[in-house]
Amino acid sequence: MTITQEKAMPSTAVLECQGLSAGYGGTVVCRGLDITVRSGEVVALIGANGAGKSTTMLTVAGELAPISGRVSVLGSDKRASLATLAKRGLSYVTEERSVIMGLTTADNLRLAGVSAEAACAVFPELRALLGRPAGLLSGGEQQMLTLARALVRNPKLLLADELSLGLAPQIVARLLDVVRAAADTENLGVLLVEQHVRQVLRVADRVYVMRRGQVMLEGTAAEIGADLDAVQRAYLSSGEQGESG
């Protein structure tokens, strides 16, 4: 179901899924997905646990092969590995914070080929933490490190799966504000899977609502937010099992 026709948006699509079905070992988890992300916009993918959100992200990132349908990432329909897509301009922030706990913040950045100065320009909070082992950072600080590392590479498309997992609301707001700023200033296209629905509606342009492996509703963030209580009752209550999100 679509609430309304899409409003005028930047013309360059950095991600297009048409009739996408995806899953594991031939078992379909997601079916018939039509999802578009354009340069400069933040798109939220929301739904209850088990709705198929993470499966969708893994397929877009090249980690899972589509069962059927079309996926175009950064202008190419040809399936490629995550490593290849990263070279073309994809950054993927997974649910697990991908920091090496025994290395310092500075060493984590160095290992990723990211300058500390550039990372601290994104998150000034990291400057005082450069000499601290990543394992001693708070969850929010680890996520700042992870997100800074992803953004400093100047991606064209950012996939972010549950940036806010286990974090305090003020940290969630800080992370999402940085993502919004990157979309606005760097013309970055963003697809966010997010559990803090009200927070993500504050920064998103458009929203896809998934339930049981299908997109059930789509619209602008303002349209979804205007009837959020009904959306939550209909689509976001968790009665689904299996896939982690």
Side-chain angles (χ1 to χ4, degrees):
M1 180 191 304
T2 303
I3 289 182
T4 188
Q5 294 294 319
E6 292 180 5
K7 296 177 172 58
M9 287 285 183
S11 59
T12 303
V14 290
L15 169 63
E16 290 182 289
C17 300
Q18 294 181 337
L20 173 64
S21 293
Y24 307 87
T27 300
V28 176
V29 173
C30 310
R31 62 191 68 80
L33 302 183
D34 294 326
I35 294 172
T36 300
V37 179
R38 300 179 180 89
S39 297
E41 70 170 341
V42 176
V43 176
L45 189 62
I46 63 176
N49 289 338
K53 305 183 300 297
S54 291
T55 298
T56 302
M57 296 287 266
L58 287 167
T59 306
V60 169
E63 295 289 88
L64 291 175
I67 293 174
S68 63
R70 171 177 172 264
V71 180
S72 177
V73 181
L74 301 173
S76 176
D77 291 9
K78 186 176 180 180
R79 185 174 177 241
S81 68
L82 177 55
T84 298
L85 291 173
K87 291 177 182 177
R88 294 177 185 167
L90 172 72
S91 279
Y92 182 26
V93 177
T94 65
E95 290 179 282
E96 296 83 20
R97 289 160 202 145
S98 53
V99 298
I100 299 177
M101 299 298 183
L103 295 182
T104 66
T105 298
D107 285 340
N108 268 275
L109 293 169
R110 191 176 299 113
L111 187 63
V114 170
S115 79
E117 195 61 34
C120 291
V122 177
F123 285 107
E125 299 94 326
L126 293 175
R127 190 171 301 279
L129 306 172
L130 291 174
R132 187 174 300 178
L136 297 182
L137 303 182
S138 69
E141 291 164 346
Q142 289 178 3
Q143 199 65 305
M144 288 180 191
L145 171 57
T146 300
L147 184 56
R149 194 173 54 190
L151 292 176
V152 167
R153 296 183 179 125
N154 296 315
K156 299 173 185 176
L157 172 63
L158 172 68
L159 306 178
D161 194 351
E162 299 284 17
L163 276 178
S164 69
L165 199 62
L167 302 181
Q170 63 268 29
I171 300 298
V172 176
R174 178 80 175 102
L175 295 168
L176 292 178
D177 284 345
V178 166
V179 169
R180 178 72 259 178
D184 291 338
T185 62
E186 305 297 330
N187 210 29
L188 173 66
V190 182
L191 181 63
L192 284 174
V193 167
E194 186 51 60
Q195 61 177 337
H196 286 266
V197 176
R198 293 185 188 277
Q199 288 266 34
V200 79
L201 290 179
R202 184 177 57 83
V203 301
D205 296 295
R206 294 186 298 110
V207 181
Y208 294 94
V209 183
M210 290 188 69
R211 182 173 173 81
R212 296 180 181 173
Q214 294 180 287
V215 171
M216 304 301 294
L217 190 69
E218 62 179 284
T220 68
E223 289 166 341
I224 299 294
D227 202 13
L228 184 56
D229 288 342
V231 170
Q232 288 179 317
R233 287 193 301 270
Y235 304 113
L236 305 183
S237 58
S238 184
E240 302 164 9
Q241 301 296 325
E243 192 261 349
S244 62

